[in-house]
Amino acid sequence: MRNRSLLIGVVLLVQGVFGSGEVKSVSVMVGDSVTLHTDLTETKGFDELQWEIQGESNIIAQIDREANTVSVPGNEEERFRDRLKLDDQTGFLTITNIRTSDSRVYELQIKSSTKMNKYRFSVSVRDVFFVDSAGAKSVSVTEGDYVTLHTGVTDKQSGDVIQWKFGDQDLNGPGDTMSNIDLNKETGEITIRNIRRDQTGDYKLEINTSSMILHRKFDIAVDEMKTVSVMEGESVTLRTGLIEIQGYDLILWKFGDHLVAEIIKSTNQLSLYDTGDKRFKDRLQLNEKTGSLLISKSENTDSGVYHLNMSSSSHTVQRSISVTVSDRSGAVSGISGASVGLMLWAVAVFLLKEV
């Protein structure tokens, strides 16, 4: 499985207009593209605009109106290397494909002949395990899964705009082709119910607030639905599809309504439970590396639907796996029936030849 998926996305702490001297807190994930900006719509009337990192003397981006120059010297540094963009009209600074090493306090100074305004942005970057080279969060699911893509917004302000797109399609608007997508108006996150193969692709998120514009992309791959069938007495492994669970905060396995296994990453807790009727009898094992669930010496009573829930800071996946355990005696009877059928066919052929 390629993934997720985990989260505390964008934290909006300051209401109203972002003023000079305030420190604006911005929390993003690895791979995001974030634009830091003030409430200014243009820089006319100012002589010079400079972006720096608090505690450092180097200028990483600059507009000099007197010299009529726009420069981004930060792109020459190895840590940024062509990932900084400066809007020459507004002075907004964009950091693309952001990394954990970009967690800093960024300072903006806007100077004129009469005054100087200073703005500070405290940027915190949270790591995500599955991010491709273009910064997309990779999520691999199977047909029928429930997938929730998180925004990280916990306190949406009236002026904030959250926009989702799938290809060129606006997911915030009406449309029958995506009728299985629900939008949470409070947090802006979307849930795709009973996901289909044709919903494979890129899902793009834009969050526009008074102090920043954030772009995030999820690359979702939808694989064919898998079913599990075994013979009684055999072991069966229900797989998460993960090589390792580093990118997920919580993994839960349920049989019907009963929680049978869980991994809580924050406390390194791994737990196994039985159902009320004790049907598993110490036959469950949980792979602490991949999160896969093993049922040893399977019995007929193990047949049913198992539910997997995997949560990260960027997304949550809910999956149902149907397990069928066949009785060996029934299988033997089936073989005997086939043998009898073959014998009757042979006798019929012989009698026809004799006619």
Side-chain angles (χ1 to χ4, degrees):
M1 173 181 285
R2 295 181 306 143
N3 181 12
R4 17 285 261 254
S5 309
L6 330 176
L7 172 81
I8 301 296
V10 181
V11 181
L12 308 177
L13 298 179
V14 181
Q15 299 186 26
V17 177
F18 178 28
S20 177
E22 294 182 42
V23 179
K24 187 72 172 184
S25 295
V26 178
S27 179
V28 297
M29 290 189 291
V30 168
D32 287 349
S33 172
V34 61
T35 299
L36 308 177
H37 64 79
T38 69
D39 56 304
L40 301 175
T41 57
E42 58 182 23
T43 58
K44 290 181 180 179
F46 294 95
D47 300 324
E48 190 175 34
L49 181 148
Q50 295 179 345
W51 283 95
E52 300 177 355
I53 294 176
Q54 189 176 65
E56 300 182 11
S57 58
N58 295 342
I59 296 172
I60 60 174
Q62 182 178 36
I63 297 176
D64 189 332
R65 293 298 187 198
E66 187 175 340
N68 196 27
T69 60
V70 178
S71 60
V72 189
N75 280 331
E76 304 302 318
E77 301 179 25
E78 185 59 36
R79 58 179 171 177
F80 291 116
R81 191 59 64 187
D82 298 325
R83 292 187 298 111
L84 299 180
K85 296 180 180 179
L86 182 64
D87 188 298
D88 60 357
Q89 297 299 315
T90 63
F92 295 174
L93 180 70
T94 298
I95 310 171
T96 63
N97 203 358
I98 202 164
R99 305 169 182 173
T100 54
S101 58
D102 297 331
S103 295
R104 295 283 193 280
V105 175
Y106 294 80
E107 294 184 341
L108 168 62
Q109 295 184 29
I110 302 177
K111 303 176 183 178
S112 71
S113 58
T114 57
K115 63 179 180 177
M116 181 184 75
N117 292 336
K118 181 176 288 190
Y119 303 85
R120 294 184 178 89
F121 303 79
S122 178
V123 177
S124 175
V125 185
R126 177 166 178 170
D127 197 10
V128 180
F129 187 58
F130 293 100
V131 178
D132 64 21
S133 59
K137 283 71 176 168
S138 299
V139 184
S140 182
V141 297
T142 59
E143 284 181 290
D145 285 355
Y146 277 54
V147 183
T148 299
L149 305 180
H150 303 302
T151 60
V153 174
T154 58
D155 187 15
K156 185 173 180 289
Q157 304 301 312
S158 59
D160 298 339
V161 178
I162 299 176
Q163 181 71 47
W164 283 96
K165 284 190 175 182
F166 174 62
D168 295 328
Q169 185 171 355
D170 181 3
L171 299 185
N172 294 67
D176 294 334
T177 57
M178 292 300 225
S179 59
N180 63 331
I181 293 183
D182 297 325
L183 175 67
N184 187 313
K185 294 183 179 179
E186 297 299 322
T187 64
E189 66 186 20
I190 59 172
T191 297
I192 310 172
R193 298 173 283 102
N194 197 21
I195 196 167
R196 308 187 303 262
R197 295 287 296 278
D198 62 358
Q199 291 178 310
T200 292
D202 291 337
Y203 292 74
K204 297 178 182 179
L205 166 67
E206 178 178 294
I207 301 176
N208 197 324
T209 76
S210 62
S211 64
M212 72 169 189
I213 302 172
L214 180 140
H215 290 92
R216 181 174 298 159
K217 185 167 71 172
F218 296 84
D219 179 14
I220 296 185
V222 185
D223 298 322
E224 185 178 357
M225 183 183 297
K226 296 177 178 63
T227 57
V228 180
S229 299
V230 295
M231 300 296 295
E232 190 177 19
E234 295 178 347
S235 294
V236 55
T237 300
L238 307 182
R239 304 186 186 280
T240 61
L242 304 176
I243 300 175
E244 55 182 294
I245 61 173
Q246 181 177 342
Y248 285 94
D249 302 318
L250 178 67
I251 291 181
L252 302 175
W253 283 100
K254 288 185 176 182
F255 179 66
D257 295 329
H258 298 278
L259 178 64
V260 296
E262 72 176 335
I263 297 176
I264 303 175
K265 195 66 182 298
S266 60
T267 59
N268 291 321
Q269 179 181 340
L270 186 151
S271 304
L272 290 168
Y273 312 97
D274 207 333
T275 58
D277 56 8
K278 305 295 182 184
R279 73 177 63 201
F280 292 110
K281 307 165 188 173
D282 298 322
R283 293 183 294 110
L284 298 178
Q285 298 177 41
L286 190 59
N287 188 312
E288 60 182 307
K289 182 179 180 181
T290 65
S292 297
L293 181 68
L294 171 69
I295 308 171
S296 61
K297 299 178 182 178
S298 60
E299 302 176 1
N300 285 341
T301 55
D302 299 337
S303 295
V305 178
Y306 293 76
H307 303 285
L308 169 65
N309 184 299
M310 299 186 294
S311 297
S312 76
S313 61
S314 63
H315 63 277
T316 298
V317 176
Q318 298 180 43
R319 178 172 303 154
S320 296
I321 302 175
S322 179
V323 174
T324 302
V325 181
S326 301
D327 194 313
R328 286 188 178 276
S329 60
V332 172
S333 299
I335 295 173
S336 299
S339 300
V340 172
L342 182 62
M343 184 185 300
L344 290 175
W345 176 80
V347 171
V349 172
F350 175 77
L351 291 177
L352 287 172
K353 286 183 178 180
E354 291 296 312
V355 174

